[in-house]
Amino acid sequence: WRTALAIMASGMQEKQYTPSLLSFFIYNPKFGPREGEEEKKILFYHPSEVEKNEKIRNVGLCEAIVQFTRTFCPRKPAKSLHTQKNRQFFLEPEENFWMVMVVRNPMIEKPNKDGKPPTVEYQEEELLDSVYGAVLQQCYSMYKIFNSTFNRAVETGGVELLIQKLEKFFYRYLQTIHLQSCDLLDVFGGISFLPLDKMTYLKIQSFVNKVEENLSLVKYTAFLYNDQLIWSGLEQDDMRILYKYLTTSLFPRHSEPELAGRDSPLRPEVMGNLLHYGRFLTGPATLKDPDAKFRFPKIFVNTEDRSEELHLIVYKVNGTIPHFLYSSDSKMFRLKFMDALVGPQLTLLASDICEQYNINRRISGPEKEPQFKFIYFNHMNLAEKSTIHMRKTAGASLSSVHPDLMKILGDINCDFARVDEDEEIIVKAMTDYWVVGKKSDQRELYVILNQKNANLIEVNDEVKRLCSTQFNNIFFLD
């Protein structure tokens, strides 16, 4: 986590190494119950070049750990195992299917004199179980929304189909996980909402209703502006993981060519009397070629009985991005009809939303470095707001504060998770920082204050001031 090199008195260098993924595997003990069939248990193993006997040995060790911990708590077996060099995380997302992630602990490599090998010190307590357990859960949730459950693959095409799906998905997905930047936001898995005035929100609601009325193939709609959600017709858990995919994978992938001047959306077409700036982020690159081959990503969303297979259409106009889940394969003529219906209206809506967005920014004040930074999360609607994190990249959400302070936030969150009552915790860090955590009625607020000579009363007053200015419509217990 500390990427800088510390220069020692002798002029030699001390190297810091961040957490890294050592291995990731999925197994089912029921698939290889007899001696000599152990390899059949292994459904996916990363890195794939590991020798077969070592894979079998590592999976067998995890089985033993799980079975041993079941003797103490049958319903809650092992979630993590701490060792000097690494930490293992366990998840049973479906009965008898186990996912295991092994993370190497951060370490410091100290050089020795006289040409001796450097001394390695492992920082065993730097990783938080809550953070990396949430990352492992995200791995399953992301797989599930694009592929449905493990059991469904087995029912459809046997174990061979499941192995193919796991290899295809996780080969790419594991490359996008940046363990060194995982923190409290991964625990929350929240959604950033865009506040709008009533009239603009009603216009969006009317637009969504009109689209779903005129396009019978559309089953669910969600509406975003840049990386902020405005409206969604999906269940919370589905929207949470789809939001993660859109904001950390799909949107950054398409913003890069735009910034480079390619595939710019600012190439208007005239539709009647309206300028039209829309384009599809998924599907065909152009609507002018009737023979163009295209397909939309499959999405599996939960319904009352079992997951429903749909397709994802993402459409963009000047930062305004509605996405639609539809139930059947879409033909080019249907897409042209959708483009003609959605594009002009969305162009007008985008102008209204952009104006409202700029008003909100002016009200919030100039973008100068404040005395405090905060993270807010609401468990009821998954609303999340952070001034600690900079803009998300394709693989990570970068923090603007020291990792030691982020770890304190994680520790406070773990304390909150152990109790149901409302709580407040104030911590004085070794540096000049104060860290405050408040939990009240399913809401959590974490504040980092940089006030060197402040006392407890002054810190408490500063947090109250923050609550009244930033959260004036949210009730926090004193």
Side-chain angles (χ1 to χ4, degrees):
W1 289 343
R2 304 172 186 83
T3 55
L5 297 178
I7 308 300
M8 300 179 68
S10 61
M12 302 175 75
Q13 292 181 335
E14 180 182 282
K15 292 183 180 178
Q16 309 264 354
Y17 291 91
T18 57
S20 61
L21 183 65
L22 291 180
S23 60
F24 179 98
F25 48 92
I26 301 170
Y27 70 91
N28 187 323
K30 300 295 182 183
F31 291 167
R34 297 185 183 87
E35 190 173 346
E37 296 182 344
E38 290 87 356
E39 191 179 7
K40 294 180 180 179
K41 301 175 184 178
I42 305 172
L43 303 170
F44 176 82
Y45 199 103
H46 168 83
S48 58
E49 58 269 18
V50 172
E51 199 265 330
K52 181 179 80 170
N53 288 334
E54 186 179 345
K55 292 179 181 177
I56 292 172
R57 188 166 57 248
N58 290 339
V59 169
L61 176 62
C62 290
E63 276 191 90
I65 292 168
V66 169
Q67 286 303 113
F68 175 71
T69 55
R70 277 196 196 278
T71 61
F72 300 99
C73 190
R75 294 185 179 179
K76 291 184 179 180
K79 289 188 176 180
S80 68
L81 174 68
H82 298 204
T83 65
Q84 180 191 15
K85 295 183 179 180
N86 58 53
R87 195 171 294 190
Q88 298 185 32
F89 298 91
F90 309 92
L91 175 67
E92 186 183 20
E94 301 174 36
E95 188 176 5
N96 294 319
F97 285 96
W98 284 89
M99 301 175 69
V100 181
M101 182 172 70
V102 184
V103 180
R104 189 198 65 195
N105 288 328
M107 61 184 188
I108 301 173
E109 192 179 85
K110 295 183 177 180
N112 288 319
K113 297 179 182 179
D114 305 326
K116 294 181 180 179
T119 302
V120 175
E121 291 183 4
Y122 289 93
Q123 299 174 286
E124 301 173 44
E125 301 305 317
E126 288 296 302
L127 302 184
L128 288 172
D129 284 355
S130 58
V131 170
Y132 291 91
V135 171
L136 184 56
Q137 178 64 55
Q138 279 176 16
C139 290
Y140 173 71
S141 298
M142 198 67 79
Y143 170 87
K144 184 182 173 186
I145 201 167
F146 287 106
N147 297 277
S148 192
T149 62
F150 297 157
N151 274 313
R152 181 165 177 173
V154 174
E155 291 168 4
T156 304
V159 178
E160 295 77 14
L161 178 62
L162 175 59
I163 290 173
Q164 289 173 17
K165 284 179 172 288
L166 292 174
E167 288 180 350
K168 183 179 179 182
F169 178 82
F170 283 109
Y171 173 76
R172 289 180 296 177
Y173 183 73
L174 292 178
Q175 298 176 41
T176 68
I177 299 177
H178 296 257
L179 295 178
Q180 71 276 11
S181 61
C182 295
D183 58 33
L184 189 57
L185 289 195
D186 292 282
V187 178
F188 292 147
I191 297 171
S192 176
F193 287 90
L194 178 65
L196 291 174
D197 66 279
K198 292 179 182 178
M199 186 54 66
T200 309
Y201 185 81
L202 285 173
K203 287 180 182 178
I204 293 168
Q205 182 70 64
S206 175
F207 165 80
V208 170
N209 291 341
K210 186 172 183 180
V211 169
E212 292 184 350
E213 182 183 338
N214 286 275
L215 293 167
S216 58
L217 75 164
V218 174
K219 298 207 70 175
Y220 304 99
T221 307
F223 201 102
L224 293 90
Y225 182 76
N226 291 331
D227 288 346
Q228 293 180 288
L229 182 66
I230 297 175
W231 190 91
S232 171
L234 285 166
E235 293 292 330
Q236 269 193 350
D237 287 341
D238 291 325
M239 191 63 240
R240 164 188 260 166
I241 198 67
L242 192 57
Y243 176 83
K244 172 88 173 171
Y245 163 70
L246 292 169
T247 56
T248 62
S249 179
L250 184 67
F251 294 169
R253 210 162 59 226
H254 283 271
S255 65
E256 288 168 8
E258 283 179 20
L259 293 173
R262 303 190 304 275
D263 302 322
S264 173
L266 300 177
R267 296 176 183 172
E269 298 178 14
V270 177
M271 303 290 293
N273 295 323
L274 294 174
L275 284 177
H276 175 200
Y277 290 88
R279 69 188 181 105
F280 289 94
L281 296 191
T282 59
T286 176
L287 297 177
K288 295 180 180 178
D289 182 4
D291 300 320
K293 295 193 180 298
F294 62 91
R295 64 185 184 88
F296 294 102
K298 285 184 181 178
I299 297 289
F300 293 84
V301 296
N302 289 324
T303 54
E304 292 181 1
D305 45 7
R306 59 183 300 167
S307 57
E308 182 180 6
E309 181 179 338
L310 302 168
H311 293 79
L312 175 67
I313 298 179
V314 181
Y315 193 85
K316 180 177 181 180
V317 174
N318 299 351
T320 306
I321 311 171
H323 61 271
F324 311 99
L325 296 183
Y326 70 96
S327 56
S328 60
D329 288 330
S330 192
K331 306 297 182 184
M332 183 64 81
F333 75 89
R334 286 179 178 167
L335 294 181
K336 286 183 177 179
F337 178 68
M338 174 181 281
D339 184 57
L341 174 70
V342 172
Q345 293 186 56
L346 206 54
T347 301
L348 294 175
L349 262 180
S351 177
D352 291 342
I353 296 170
C354 182
E355 183 179 346
Q356 186 69 34
Y357 177 76
N358 290 330
I359 290 172
N360 290 342
R361 290 184 66 180
R362 286 198 298 271
I363 293 173
S364 62
E367 293 187 6
K368 60 183 180 183
E369 187 72 14
Q371 281 192 309
F372 51 77
K373 294 186 177 183
F374 67 85
I375 295 176
Y376 165 79
F377 181 69
N378 185 336
H379 289 270
M380 289 179 283
N381 63 357
L382 306 182
E384 173 184 278
K385 187 175 181 181
S386 171
T387 60
I388 288 174
H389 294 78
M390 297 172 278
R391 181 176 172 80
K392 295 183 180 74
T393 65
S397 185
L398 302 176
S399 167
S400 61
V401 303
H402 196 280
D404 287 349
L405 292 172
M406 292 306 299
K407 185 173 185 300
I408 293 174
L409 296 185
D411 288 333
I412 294 175
N413 172 256
C414 290
D415 288 337
F416 286 165
R418 293 189 188 104
V419 294
D420 294 327
E421 294 82 15
D422 296 337
E423 265 197 74
E424 181 173 14
I425 297 175
I426 301 178
V427 178
K428 177 69 168 72
M430 293 296 289
T431 53
D432 294 333
Y433 290 93
W434 288 84
V435 182
V436 181
K438 291 170 75 75
K439 177 185 177 184
S440 176
D441 191 25
Q442 297 293 307
R443 299 177 177 92
E444 295 181 30
L445 175 67
Y446 302 83
V447 185
I448 297 176
L449 293 148
N450 183 13
Q451 293 189 344
K452 185 175 181 180
N453 299 314
N455 56 39
L456 269 175
I457 296 174
E458 291 169 337
V459 168
N460 195 43
D461 289 342
E462 193 67 39
V463 173
K464 283 184 178 179
R465 198 174 300 118
L466 167 66
C467 290
S468 64
T469 55
Q470 296 285 339
F471 306 102
N472 57 353
N473 61 338
I474 295 173
F475 175 63
F476 279 108
L477 291 178
D478 289 327

